[in-house]
Amino acid sequence: MPFYVKMGEVPQKRHTTFFKPNGELYREQLMGTKGFSGIQSILYHHNPPTQVTEVKKIATIDMQYVEREELRHQHFLSFDAPQGGDPIVGRRYLLGNDDVVMGVCSPTEGMDYYYRNSEGDEVVFVHKGEGELQTIFGTITYRPGDYLVIPIGTTYRIVPSTEDTRFLVIESQNEIVPPKRYRNEHGQLLEHSPFCERDIRLPERLETHVEEGSFEVRVKQNHTLYSYTFDFHPFDVVGWDGYLFPYALSIHDFEPITGRVHQPPPVHQTFAGQNFVICSFVPRLYDYHPEAIPAPYYHSNVESDEVLYYVDGNFMSRKGVVEGSITLHPMGIPHGPHPGKIEASIGKKETKELAVMLDTFRPLKATRQALALEDTAYMYSWLPVKK
Ligand SMILES: [Fe+2]
């Protein structure tokens, strides 16, 4: 994030002696992106983060992409995906490319290990459930509607406190940041941004664990999962400061931008990644020109694959979608409102729709798991109903 945060204890000057109460030195670790040129934080540990007792490979991650036969609009019923597993193992990857992957997760088990994605940033959108995102930077309490932004390399654990949990997971191969056009040259969010720094929820508390034992950290790197064993708790940080940290942003704190006539999808943009954007469709007043058509026009997003994840509310331009539906409108062919939806939108004052959109600038591939959830009639759902 483009602002400075300090939690816990850090020495007055970096790279200087910093002693524990017993006279030993704390171990300083710089965690930064882009080879010391990107955002970074400095953490102070009780133990050297290099003190690994065992490392082993657990698995190669095979996304099981299926080559596309036809270029068609697709609809996946993500709530039909099998529940189970923990907040990492239970992730069912549905769509992806070399920049980003999207999946859903409805865990029924807890994590008896810690996890670190060393490929890129993650955004975990909380559709249902409450709990804690516990990280090496501290703990964030989450609730429905939260985007949990977890930077590359963050050691963490997700601990749901409610039974019915549903996450939408977006894993990038790069960083995920607020859009540049909403920030000034110092990184500060500008007045026309739909959210500001006050909406960004930092870790609420930093718990320093000094207990010893056997602790596993699973690390994902280059599509491979490794297991690292430590004889001390990985959350042994006494303090940290910098610009790299996890945070939460609630979709309910996203202030919609509206106009006299239909506003294009970029007004919904919430985050930017490399070759993709994440947008929030939230309850809002409709366009107020007296002759406005609130439903979108047909559009040929010829350089963008559009994925919508439907969270709640009646989605104005679509029929047949349900909670947890995911639609993919691929680049190259037009899409738009279903028959009757344009007329039905005229004169409407507001929408209660809630959805998350992932637009990618390179084509997405569906996984075998996604195709098992597909409503194959979707491509032809724009045909007029025969009388
Ligand atoms: Fe669209």
Side-chain angles (χ1 to χ4, degrees):
M1 268 309 297
F3 58 84
Y4 173 82
V5 173
K6 181 170 80 172
M7 284 193 81
E9 295 174 60
V10 300
Q12 176 59 33
K13 199 161 184 65
R14 58 189 173 181
H15 321 321
T16 59
T17 55
F18 181 32
F19 294 104
K20 301 182 199 175
N22 68 3
E24 292 176 2
L25 282 167
Y26 284 113
R27 303 301 172 184
E28 184 183 51
Q29 178 198 4
L30 186 144
M31 198 174 135
T33 61
K34 299 179 180 168
F36 301 93
S37 301
I39 55 169
Q40 61 185 43
S41 285
I42 299 177
L43 304 96
Y44 294 89
H45 295 265
H46 269 270
N47 304 284
T50 48
Q51 201 173 291
V52 177
T53 56
E54 188 184 7
V55 56
K56 59 186 179 192
K57 177 181 166 180
I58 300 179
T60 302
I61 298 162
D62 178 6
M63 295 294 292
Q64 298 192 310
Y65 289 127
V66 178
E67 286 304 319
R68 193 180 261 158
E69 292 284 326
E70 311 110 11
L71 187 61
R72 66 177 192 272
H73 301 311
Q74 290 178 282
H75 174 207
F76 309 101
L77 297 154
S78 83
F79 275 20
D80 288 353
Q83 292 181 280
D86 65 45
I88 305 299
V89 172
R91 293 179 180 183
R92 318 291 180 208
Y93 296 111
L94 303 178
L95 299 165
N97 61 22
D98 289 342
D99 302 311
V100 62
V101 299
M102 175 195 255
V104 292
C105 182
S106 185
T108 54
E109 296 165 23
M111 292 172 68
D112 57 3
Y113 60 92
Y114 299 84
Y115 181 67
R116 190 190 302 161
N117 181 343
S118 290
E119 293 182 347
D121 292 0
E122 295 185 352
V123 166
V124 176
F125 175 76
V126 182
H127 186 164
K128 288 178 187 285
E130 296 177 5
E132 287 185 344
L133 169 65
Q134 300 172 352
T135 82
I136 202 167
F137 295 97
T139 297
I140 297 172
T141 306
Y142 68 76
R143 47 188 183 256
D146 280 350
Y147 289 107
L148 303 172
V149 183
I150 307 171
I152 181 172
T154 301
T155 304
Y156 74 87
R157 186 163 76 158
I158 296 176
V159 184
S161 60
T162 48
E163 268 195 12
D164 189 14
T165 292
R166 290 194 181 268
F167 298 126
L168 171 70
V169 181
I170 296 169
E171 298 180 11
S172 170
Q173 286 291 316
N174 213 287
E175 62 184 10
I176 298 175
V177 294
K180 201 172 175 205
R181 69 179 181 282
Y182 291 137
R183 294 182 284 162
N184 65 21
E185 72 266 37
H186 306 284
Q188 184 178 15
L189 290 161
L190 292 162
E191 282 295 307
H192 69 298
S193 171
F195 57 93
C196 79
E197 283 81 359
R198 293 185 200 176
D199 299 315
I200 288 166
R201 297 189 348 254
L202 302 172
E204 297 132 29
R205 61 182 192 277
L206 177 66
E207 286 173 17
T208 309
H209 291 267
V210 293
E211 56 263 42
E212 296 177 350
S214 180
F215 298 90
E216 183 188 12
V217 177
R218 294 186 190 171
V219 178
K220 185 161 82 153
Q221 171 54 235
N222 196 24
H223 312 299
T224 309
L225 197 60
Y226 303 94
S227 168
Y228 291 77
T229 307
F230 297 86
D231 53 16
F232 55 87
H233 197 296
F235 294 169
D236 66 342
V237 169
V238 71
W240 62 269
D241 74 337
Y243 282 54
L244 183 79
F245 49 83
Y247 63 91
L249 171 68
S250 174
I251 196 168
H252 304 300
D253 284 328
F254 183 92
E255 298 302 331
I257 296 169
T258 59
R260 248 164 70 89
V261 294
H262 188 81
Q263 298 294 297
V267 301
H268 305 286
Q269 191 184 351
T270 314
F271 300 106
Q274 183 164 294
N275 293 328
F276 69 91
V277 297
I278 301 171
C279 303
S280 304
F281 286 79
V282 301
R284 61 192 182 280
L285 295 179
Y286 273 147
D287 323 322
Y288 48 89
H289 185 287
E291 290 160 28
I293 296 178
Y297 31 79
Y298 298 100
H299 45 290
S300 303
N301 40 318
V302 289
E303 286 190 316
S304 174
D305 269 18
E306 285 187 18
V307 182
L308 264 167
Y309 176 86
Y310 300 84
V311 180
D312 198 15
N314 184 18
F315 211 79
M316 65 161 160
S317 59
R318 294 266 144 357
K319 64 175 187 185
V321 297
V322 294
E323 197 181 20
S325 279
I326 293 175
T327 55
L328 166 61
H329 301 140
M331 57 184 73
I333 53 174
H335 67 275
H338 274 118
K341 292 288 185 182
I342 293 174
E343 291 81 357
S345 76
I346 296 169
K348 291 271 169 58
K349 297 293 179 215
E350 62 175 341
T351 174
K352 301 285 188 198
E353 70 192 18
L354 194 65
V356 174
M357 186 165 79
L358 172 71
D359 279 8
T360 66
F361 307 143
R362 298 202 287 179
L364 288 164
K365 287 176 274 190
T367 65
R368 197 173 295 164
Q369 293 201 81
L371 295 183
L373 307 172
E374 187 176 2
D375 156 23
T376 53
Y378 186 65
M379 179 66 201
Y380 304 105
S381 59
W382 281 266
L383 289 171
V385 179
K386 288 194 182 119
K387 292 178 181 154

